[in-house]
Amino acid sequence: MAIITVAGASGGTVQVTVDGAMNTLFVGRTQGLADQLSDQLNNQGILDARYLNSGSNSKATGSSNQSGYGVVTAAGSYQVSGDFRWLTVGSNSATTAPSTALDAWVNIDASKVTTDYLSVVAGTTQGVSFRAGSQSGLFVGGSGDNLFQGNYLDQAPGAWDIRTGDGNDTIYAGAGNNTITLGTGVNYVHSDGQDTITATDGVQSITLNGGNSFVNVGENSLVVDAAGNEQITVGGASTVTGGSNDYINMAGATGTVEGGQLNTISAAHGDLYTTHTDSALINVSGALTFVGGTGDTTITAGQATIFGSNNLNAHFDGTSADSLFVANDGNETLDGASSAFGIHAFGNVVGTTGTQTFIGGSASDTLVAGVGNATLTGGSGAANVFGFRDGIAGADYTITDFGSAAGNSVLLVDYDYTASQFQQDVLDKAAHNGSNTTITLADNSKITFVDVSDLTTNQFGGLK
């Protein structure tokens, strides 16, 4: 813990506590503010310094060019109004031992300060509650658990530079364009403006209501976007709840993105879990678990496990390993034509409805039909397997390119056919329409093979 000595009133000094003595950047910036204050007070002579008393403190705008500088050295609630440009909160060097912090909770209401810019340098062991007005300003909460409340009522809210130490701080930033630099505690930020929020350590919980904000925070963070057009970067083991048209960068080894519409999501350093996204653009270097997404979605991932939902139209490229797709209720499309690794896709099951379109890539794919109608395209290149499950299948299915890859086959799961029975009951009774062939299974599944005029039992697995 560092102690910054700040010029006080009546020739005295104030000891302001700054958490994180190892955080030389934060300590250095606070010392720089103390030097700036000392210059304005002692060299330029533009400040009228006074110790404030608990209760009401007012500085009228006079004929001189001196603005007020208020010094708080005791616990209590302070209402500050009028012409103040600086406030300092800390221990009085004249009455406390050197390097001793003010062990107190201080509440300051500066909502009626009339200057256009107010600088606040505060550091107590317990913390400071500060309420801003319509002015812009700088707030440094050097230590303790601080509460900053910005202005929500004024038609022209100010812009604040807010910096906190290692305490557990709560910031209601107001509706202005604020810059918030968070310390290493467990912090909560409620943003209603267009804010820049950064932190390298600590645990951050951030709610964005204003839109067009920039967030860059570390591990174990939670960012909830209730607006849109945000730029969000979080460290590992963090969760982002998306808004709309966000750019979300998951910078750690793991992370979660929930909801959101038309968002661009990247995880260049590890794995990602997403749930209930809508029309997202997703790029993951490692493994993606995609649950319940919908809309026109583009996915690039090393490997993916995708659980679809109604109206999902997924364009998928697997870049390092085989991937899994499981359809759910509703109409879903998986287009993996650009994937160089295999796709194992399973249609919906009994108790759900909907249709599927599965398109494989150049690797060996397994495309398994569900209870609804389905169109299956294996892709050229390696041999593919087209699967049908007795007790689940029973609809109309189309295999568009059965003849495009050597070794393509159909797998019949739990059907009670011998090879001779299948030849007699299915293949010999196949219907031909131009160059297409349609077979009907015992469960009334109708499978059409496009541009295939002849089928043999050797192309069907699962026969007894």
Side-chain angles (χ1 to χ4, degrees), residues 129-154:
S129 172
F130 178 81
R131 179 182 292 276
S134 60
Q135 73 277 77
S136 298
L138 166 69
F139 176 83
V140 175
S143 61
D145 301 336
N146 302 291
L147 170 63
F148 180 96
Q149 301 176 79
N151 178 42
Y152 291 89
L153 301 178
D154 197 273

Side-chain angles (χ1 to χ4, degrees), residues 283-359:
N283 196 316
V284 182
S285 65
L288 169 68
T289 301
F290 178 98
V291 179
T294 189
D296 290 329
T297 300
T298 299
I299 299 171
T300 301
Q303 180 273 334
T305 300
I306 301 172
F307 298 93
S309 66
N310 188 35
N311 293 325
L312 174 65
N313 180 20
H315 302 269
F316 174 71
D317 182 7
T319 60
S320 63
D322 286 4
S323 294
L324 172 67
F325 181 94
V326 179
N328 209 320
D329 207 18
N331 302 323
E332 299 160 49
T333 295
L334 174 68
D335 182 354
S338 61
S339 180
F341 289 83
I343 297 171
H344 307 283
F346 292 82
N348 55 347
V349 296
V350 175
T352 63
T353 60
T355 64
Q356 289 87 52
T357 299
F358 294 152
I359 303 173

Side-chain angles (χ1 to χ4, degrees), residues 6-16 37 41 47-54 57 68-75 78 80 84-93 102 106 108 119-121:
V6 181
S10 304
T13 59
V14 180
Q15 299 179 112
V16 174
L37 170 59
L41 177 65
L47 296 177
D48 175 14
R50 63 184 67 182
Y51 288 102
L52 303 184
N53 297 314
S54 181
N57 298 266
Y69 166 37
V71 181
V72 175
T73 58
Y78 298 78
V80 184
F84 281 92
R85 286 198 175 274
W86 284 87
L87 297 174
T88 294
V89 182
S91 62
N92 191 331
S93 300
L102 175 60
V106 175
I108 299 176
S119 296
V120 182
V121 180

Side-chain angles (χ1 to χ4, degrees), residues 430-456:
H432 300 277
N433 182 8
S435 60
N436 301 336
T437 299
T438 300
I439 63 173
T440 302
L441 303 181
D443 59 2
N444 204 37
S445 294
K446 291 180 172 56
I447 307 171
T448 297
F449 297 79
V450 176
D451 290 331
V452 175
S453 58
D454 184 52
L455 295 166
T456 69

Side-chain angles (χ1 to χ4, degrees), residues 7-153:
S10 304
T13 59
V14 180
Q15 299 179 112
V16 174
T17 310
V18 180
D19 280 333
M22 298 303 293
N23 187 348
T24 56
L25 182 60
F26 184 47
V27 174
R29 286 177 174 174
T30 307
Q31 182 63 62
L33 289 171
D35 294 342
Q36 180 183 348
L37 170 59
S38 177
D39 179 64
Q40 292 184 14
L41 177 65
N42 298 319
N43 298 329
Q44 300 182 42
I46 60 175
L47 296 177
D48 175 14
R50 63 184 67 182
Y51 288 102
L52 303 184
N53 297 314
S54 181
S56 178
N57 298 266
S58 180
K59 169 69 168 67
T61 302
S63 58
S64 71
N65 64 349
Q66 287 187 321
S67 293
Y69 166 37
V71 181
V72 175
T73 58
S77 294
Y78 298 78
Q79 294 82 45
V80 184
S81 61
D83 185 16
F84 281 92
R85 286 198 175 274
W86 284 87
L87 297 174
T88 294
V89 182
S91 62
N92 191 331
S93 300
T95 58
T96 57
S99 300
T100 301
L102 175 60
D103 186 14
W105 173 258
V106 175
N107 189 314
I108 299 176
D109 182 352
S111 61
K112 295 183 180 180
V113 169
T114 57
T115 52
D116 58 353
Y117 196 94
L118 175 64
S119 296
V120 182
V121 180
T124 78
T125 58
Q126 295 186 35
V128 173
S129 172
F130 178 81
R131 179 182 292 276
S134 60
Q135 73 277 77
S136 298
L138 166 69
F139 176 83
V140 175
S143 61
D145 301 336
N146 302 291
L147 170 63
F148 180 96
Q149 301 176 79
N151 178 42
Y152 291 89
L153 301 178

Side-chain angles (χ1 to χ4, degrees), residues 194-227:
Q194 289 72 53
D195 297 334
T196 298
I197 305 169
T198 59
T200 55
D201 295 300
V203 178
Q204 320 302 340
S205 178
I206 300 168
T207 300
L208 304 172
N209 286 326
N212 295 289
S213 288
F214 174 88
V215 177
N216 190 339
V217 293
E219 298 179 349
N220 301 302
S221 296
L222 170 64
V223 180
V224 178
D225 178 23

